[in-house]
Amino acid sequence: MPHDNLDRVIALAGIYQAVHCVIQIARHGTTDTDAMEPCIHSLFQVNAENVDAVFGEPGAVANGSRQIVSSLTGVPERNLELTRYVVLLMRLERTLSGRPDLLTRIGEGIEAASFKREHFALLHPTLLAHFADLYSETLSQLEPRIVVRGESSHLRNQDNQNRIRALLLAGVRAAMLWRQVGGSRWQILLKNKQILEDARRYINAH
């Protein structure tokens, strides 16, 4: 089925939201669970009814949409670190798309996580550790390698490491969705006025 601009901005907001959560954990050791849950939820959505449903309830990626607006307008501030991670995740997803062996492994890992999901809450440490291991086995072996910077005390914490890796996996999943609905990196450069309008429309609707 054809996809519209709103589908694309939802997928893009999914990447921004995952990255924003990563930065929050790396810097402060915590993040908003309401922002993190849609990212992890998306990992289980293999045959979602539509793009919005990938992230759960309508408005689930409002946080990511606000990050898009900030990045494009500089209000309240332009976060260059966030933009850099978003671009790296897009590049990583393109590398992954050429590795069917790793795509199969990720699919198997998500299927295994679905069985665990029957016994654990969405953000349970066991599930996040599962996704973190899956990221380490697959995406961390590819270029570009993503090095997350932040407070060393937070980055040394195993639970924080697991949350960050699970979110990076979710970010790549959103990047894959972005490409599947017709998104590309040049659109961010050449069609940012349209993206900004769509992000604001999404925020206002929710």
Side-chain angles (χ1 to χ4, degrees):
M1 62 178 287
H3 296 283
D4 59 18
N5 289 331
L6 193 57
D7 285 338
R8 281 184 280 278
V9 88
I10 289 170
L12 185 60
I15 312 174
Y16 273 82
Q17 190 154 309
V19 168
H20 184 249
C21 289
V22 166
I23 292 173
Q24 290 292 304
I25 294 169
R27 289 181 179 175
H28 308 294
T30 187
T31 191
D32 182 359
T33 56
D34 287 342
M36 185 173 172
E37 282 185 351
C39 301
I40 304 304
H41 174 86
S42 72
L43 291 171
F44 293 96
Q45 309 313 305
V46 179
N47 296 303
E49 187 175 321
N50 52 53
V51 173
D52 214 9
V54 170
F55 300 99
E57 298 296 322
V61 290
N63 176 288
S65 296
R66 286 191 289 272
Q67 305 309 317
I68 292 174
V69 172
S70 294
S71 293
L72 294 179
T73 66
V75 179
E77 64 177 349
R78 185 173 283 109
N79 189 330
L80 296 179
E81 181 186 23
L82 187 148
T83 303
R84 183 173 65 84
Y85 285 138
V86 168
V87 171
L88 284 173
L89 285 175
M90 288 179 173
R91 288 174 55 198
L92 187 57
E93 187 277 327
R94 294 304 296 134
T95 304
L96 175 65
S97 69
R99 290 290 303 270
D101 57 325
L102 295 185
L103 285 167
T104 297
R105 175 68 192 96
I106 290 172
E108 292 169 349
I110 288 172
E111 185 177 357
S114 297
F115 290 111
K116 293 184 179 182
R117 180 76 178 90
E118 297 175 6
H119 307 287
F120 299 106
L122 189 61
L123 298 186
H124 192 279
T126 298
L127 266 183
L128 297 178
H130 175 90
F131 283 127
D133 288 343
L134 187 58
Y135 176 87
S136 296
E137 293 171 16
T138 56
L139 290 165
S140 69
Q141 310 302 316
L142 302 176
E143 295 292 339
R145 296 287 298 275
I146 297 179
V147 178
V148 175
R149 306 193 185 281
E151 293 293 326
S152 58
S153 59
H154 300 316
L155 293 174
R156 284 196 301 264
N157 181 282
Q158 186 63 56
D159 285 340
N160 287 341
Q161 291 177 16
N162 289 342
R163 288 193 291 169
I164 286 171
R165 288 177 182 139
L167 284 162
L168 290 175
L169 183 63
V172 170
R173 192 265 185 270
M176 184 178 294
L177 180 63
W178 158 253
R179 185 169 55 83
Q180 289 170 340
V181 298
S184 63
R185 275 182 288 169
W186 66 263
Q187 288 180 353
I188 300 176
L189 297 173
L190 302 181
K191 293 191 174 182
N192 54 22
K193 188 177 291 186
Q194 180 67 58
I195 290 172
L196 178 60
E197 180 183 319
D198 294 330
R200 283 173 167 160
R201 184 155 56 101
Y202 180 86
I203 293 167
N204 292 336
H206 302 291

